[in-house]
Amino acid sequence: MFIDLRTLDDGSVLEADICIVGAGPAGISMARSLIGTSIDVLVIESGDMDYDDATQALYRGESVGVPYFGLEDARLRFFGGSSNHWDNWCGEFQPIDFQQRSWVPFSGWPFGPEELEPWYDLARPICSLGPRRKNAEIWDKLNVEPIVLDESRLKFHFWEIATPTRFGEVYREELRKAPNIRVLLNANATEVVSDAAAHKVESVELVTFNGHKARVKARHFVLACGAIENARLMLASDRIEPHGIGNRRDVVGRFFMEHPRDRIGSLATSDPFHLIDMFRPGWFGEHVFCPSITVPAEKTKAEQILNTRLQLLYVTDETSMATMRRFAQSIEAGRVPDRLAEGLWDLIQGTDITAYNLYRRAVHNRPMVPKPDGVQQVYFLCQAEQAPNPDSRITLSDRRDALGSRLPVLDWRLGELDKRTLQVQGKLLGGELARLGLGLFQFDPWLREGGTSWSPSMVGGYHQMGTTRMSDDERTGVVDADCKVHGLDNLYVAGSSVYPTGSNINPTLTLVALALRLCDHLKQRITERV
C-alpha cells in the first residue's frame, strides 16, 4: 500500500514493527524480503513516485574539501532512490577488502567474505545479474584473446553490467499489493528521537512541504537514506545526545569515502586495436562484462597499496565508424544510404580502419572498433579504493533547507596512500605492457608529482560510503557487525554508509546483500520476542 503523508491528518502517529527510512535499493530490498511475513513494515520516502525539484533540492549542501559534485546532483530523492539513474555496473567485493591490512589504518570488516556469499547469491537476481562466471568462460564467450599478464603482478577483473534496474519501477507493484507493507510518500524524516537514556529509539519525526507533521513509532528503525543523509539525520538528532544520536564517540559522519576516478597515463602504441577490442564491454547472453586490471592480493600486500582497478579508454574523432553504422542500417532497411557520396569519401579517408572492421566482421564476427585520435589518446582511467580517513567527513552547517533542517557539509579528503597506490600500479602496468611489446605507458603529469594533489579532472564515482561505518569497536565505528548502532537497542543502518572500506567496485550489489542480511537478523529478533 502507498500512502501520501500530505493526505493524512496533521499530527498523525503511525506504528509498525519495522520502520525503514529511505526507499532506495537498500530500503526496497529489505521491504521485499519481508513480504508475506507477519511483520508490519512502514517504509518512509521523502519524495513521490517521480522527480520533483523542491524535494531534490533538500539534498543541497556545501563541499569544502576535494572538489566534488553538487550534493543535490549525486543522488535522486524519489521512490527508487538513486537506482533511478543507476547504470547497473556491479561486482562483488574481493577477500582482501574484508581483511585488516597493517598498512591501511582502520581497515578490516568484522567478518570475512564467506559471510556475505549467500547474501550475494540472493542479491544478484534483485540487481538483474546472472550467475557468476569465471574469467576464461567470459573471454571465450566474448570471442577475444586476452593479453597474457604475469598474474603475480597484475590480473584481469570484470565489471558485470545488467539492464538498468529501477527499483522503484520494477518492485513497485509487489510492494503495493503486499498486505504487510506500507510505503509513506512525501514524508521527510527530520529527527530520530530516543528515550531519555539514549538506549532506544522511540520515534522518527516527519514533515511535509504543506506543513503536515507526523510521528512513526516502531519496534525497530532502519536508516537507509544514503551515506550523506544517514549521517546528516543522525547528527541532526541531538535532542538527547548533544552531538547527535549514536555519536558518543564522534564517529558519525567520519570516514567518508568515494572512488576517485582519473586519468593516470596514456599508451603510445602503433597497434592499439587489440587492446581496444579486448577492453570493450562485451555481451555474455543478456549481460555485459567489462574488463579491468587490478593488482593481485599478494602483490598489494608486498607493495602496501590499496585495491584499485584500471580501465582502458580512448578518444576518437573517427567519422568512418558512424558512416559504416549508417550504411549498415540503411542496407538492412533495404534503402540507399543517405549522403552516399559524402559517406564513401569518409570511408576512403579511413581506409585502414574500414578494412580492419570489414575483416573483423567477416572473419571473426566481432563488433566494429573506432580508430583512436592520435597516439596519446589511448589511456587508462582508475577507479580507486580510498583509504579510510577520519578527517574525510560530513558535518552540519548553520544554514538550513526549506524544511528547517541543517545542511550537510562534505569535507572529502584524500591522502598519500591513495595517490601512491596509482603510482605503483602504473609502474606495474607500464612494465607489463613493455614486456608484452604493446607500447610505452606514460604517466600523466599530475601523477609524476609528489604530494597528495590530484588532477583538476578527477571526479568521484557517485559512490558515497563510510559515514556510519561498521566496527566491533564503537571508538572506530557507528554500527556493529549486525548494522545496529552502538549503544542503541533498536536503531540500524543499511546501505554503503556502513562500509569500513570501499574496495574498487561499484557499491550497489554489496549494499543490497548487506540489506538482505540485516533483514534476516531483524526477522530473527522479532520472532524471538513474539
Side-chain angles (χ1 to χ4, degrees):
M1 178 189 303
F2 287 84
I3 305 168
D4 190 330
L5 179 57
R6 297 173 300 184
T7 66
L8 300 184
D9 292 338
D10 187 24
S12 293
V13 177
L14 301 96
E15 298 187 0
D17 292 319
I18 298 176
C19 172
I20 302 170
V21 184
I28 289 177
S29 296
M30 291 189 68
R32 288 185 69 248
S33 184
L34 292 163
I35 292 176
T37 68
S38 60
I39 300 171
D40 182 24
V41 180
L42 181 62
V43 181
I44 307 299
E45 169 54 47
S46 170
D48 210 313
M49 290 297 186
D50 297 302
Y51 177 91
D52 172 75
D53 283 332
T55 302
Q56 185 66 22
L58 296 175
Y59 272 148
R60 288 177 181 162
E62 302 174 36
S63 183
V64 299
V66 174
Y68 195 63
F69 311 108
L71 301 190
E72 72 276 17
D73 299 327
R75 286 289 179 270
L76 289 176
R77 200 173 177 114
F78 62 101
F79 186 66
S82 295
S83 72
N84 287 300
H85 64 184
W86 179 42
D87 287 335
N88 210 349
W89 287 57
C90 290
E92 299 179 11
F93 280 23
Q94 299 162 57
I96 193 171
D97 298 319
F98 297 88
Q99 297 172 8
Q100 184 175 359
R101 292 166 273 175
S102 60
W103 65 97
V104 184
F106 303 103
S107 61
W109 290 51
F111 49 76
E114 66 285 346
E115 174 69 22
L116 274 192
E117 187 168 342
W119 304 109
Y120 274 135
D121 290 339
L122 294 175
R124 292 180 70 86
I126 294 173
C127 296
S128 302
L129 295 176
R132 296 182 185 89
R133 306 285 184 182
K134 294 185 180 298
N135 280 13
E137 185 182 10
I138 297 171
W139 288 122
D140 184 63
K141 185 69 174 181
L142 300 185
N143 194 23
V144 174
E145 188 68 30
I147 58 176
V148 182
L149 295 170
D150 178 349
E151 293 196 351
S152 69
R153 298 167 64 83
L154 294 172
K155 66 176 183 177
F156 285 109
H157 196 275
F158 285 91
W159 272 286
E160 303 178 59
I161 312 166
T163 302
T165 304
R166 310 296 183 224
F167 280 64
E169 298 175 6
V170 174
Y171 301 119
R172 181 180 303 178
E173 285 307 305
E174 288 182 59
L175 298 181
R176 186 189 302 277
K177 295 175 181 178
N180 66 315
I181 309 291
R182 289 171 292 163
V183 179
L184 192 63
L185 300 172
N186 296 296
N188 300 282
T190 57
E191 185 181 6
V192 180
V193 182
S194 74
D195 60 9
H199 290 159
K200 183 178 181 179
V201 171
E202 295 185 337
S203 66
V204 167
E205 304 296 306
L206 308 175
V207 67
T208 69
F209 278 109
N210 68 353
H212 282 201
K213 294 182 178 181
R215 174 176 299 168
V216 178
K217 294 184 176 182
R219 296 168 64 182
H220 301 281
F221 295 86
V222 180
L223 304 185
C225 311
I228 292 179
E229 291 297 302
N230 281 343
R232 179 189 185 188
L233 183 55
M234 293 182 71
L235 291 170
S237 301
D238 56 2
R239 185 183 306 192
I240 304 298
E241 297 187 77
H243 300 293
I245 196 165
N247 195 30
R248 298 169 193 171
R249 297 286 189 165
D250 188 29
V251 184
V252 173
R254 294 188 181 273
F255 297 97
F256 175 88
M257 297 179 294
E258 249 280 12
H259 287 140
R261 293 174 58 84
D262 206 346
R263 254 183 73 134
I264 71 162
S266 59
L267 180 65
T269 176
S270 60
D271 182 16
F273 296 117
H274 179 59
L275 281 173
I276 289 175
D277 192 28
M278 189 182 66
F279 277 92
R280 286 170 63 87
W283 287 91
F284 191 123
E286 297 181 351
H287 300 94
V288 174
F289 287 82
C290 182
S292 64
I293 290 180
T294 64
V295 178
E298 290 305 314
K299 190 64 173 175
T300 65
K301 293 176 184 177
E303 298 286 351
Q304 298 199 340
I305 58 175
L306 298 164
N307 186 12
T308 291
R309 66 179 56 224
L310 302 177
Q311 180 183 9
L312 183 140
L313 296 172
Y314 50 90
V315 176
T316 178
D317 62 358
E318 186 59 55
T319 57
S320 60
M321 277 291 294
T323 301
M324 281 187 283
R325 290 195 181 99
R326 180 165 56 84
F327 275 25
Q329 291 169 356
S330 298
I331 293 169
E332 288 173 0
R335 58 182 173 79
V336 176
D338 298 332
R339 306 191 308 277
L340 179 60
E342 176 186 340
L344 288 173
W345 177 248
D346 287 341
L347 295 181
I348 292 170
Q349 290 290 93
T351 301
D352 55 347
I353 191 65
T354 301
Y356 179 73
N357 275 304
L358 290 173
Y359 171 78
R360 286 170 56 80
R361 292 299 296 269
V363 177
H364 296 294
N365 191 30
R366 293 176 181 167
M368 294 181 287
V369 295
K371 183 178 181 179
D373 182 23
V375 296
Q376 298 298 318
Q377 300 308 314
V378 178
Y379 65 94
F380 285 88
L381 181 80
C382 71
Q383 176 158 303
E385 178 186 14
Q386 178 182 346
N389 182 349
D391 294 324
S392 181
R393 65 183 303 191
I394 301 295
T395 56
L396 296 184
S397 167
D398 290 331
R399 299 173 57 212
R400 297 180 182 268
D401 64 19
L403 298 176
S405 295
R406 295 171 66 189
L407 296 178
V409 179
L410 169 60
D411 186 0
W412 182 26
R413 300 192 187 186
L414 297 167
E416 183 273 337
L417 179 57
D418 302 307
K419 186 171 181 178
R420 183 172 65 81
T421 291
L422 299 178
Q423 293 169 333
V424 172
Q425 192 162 354
K427 290 177 182 177
L428 293 171
L429 174 67
E432 278 296 277
L433 294 174
R435 180 183 68 84
L436 295 168
L438 294 171
L440 176 65
F441 175 76
Q442 300 170 318
F443 277 114
D444 275 9
W446 73 271
L447 203 48
R448 293 197 293 265
E449 300 169 355
T452 59
S453 63
W454 291 54
S455 79
S457 62
M458 189 274 284
V459 295
Y462 293 101
H463 304 158
Q464 299 167 359
M465 302 170 284
T467 59
T468 63
R469 69 195 313 264
M470 187 190 306
S471 174
D472 287 331
D473 187 344
E474 66 176 346
R475 294 172 299 179
T476 57
V478 176
V479 302
D480 63 17
D482 292 320
C483 296
K484 185 179 75 66
V485 175
H486 288 294
L488 285 153
D489 180 63
N490 64 340
L491 180 61
Y492 294 81
V493 182
S496 56
S497 68
V498 305
Y499 293 1
T501 52
S503 186
N504 58 36
I505 198 73
N506 302 39
T508 304
L509 180 64
T510 300
L511 75 82
V512 171
L514 281 169
L516 297 176
R517 176 178 176 269
L518 169 55
C519 202
D520 186 67
H521 171 77
L522 288 171
K523 288 178 188 177
Q524 293 180 33
R525 283 201 68 181
I526 290 175
T527 301
E528 289 169 358
R529 294 188 180 184
V530 171

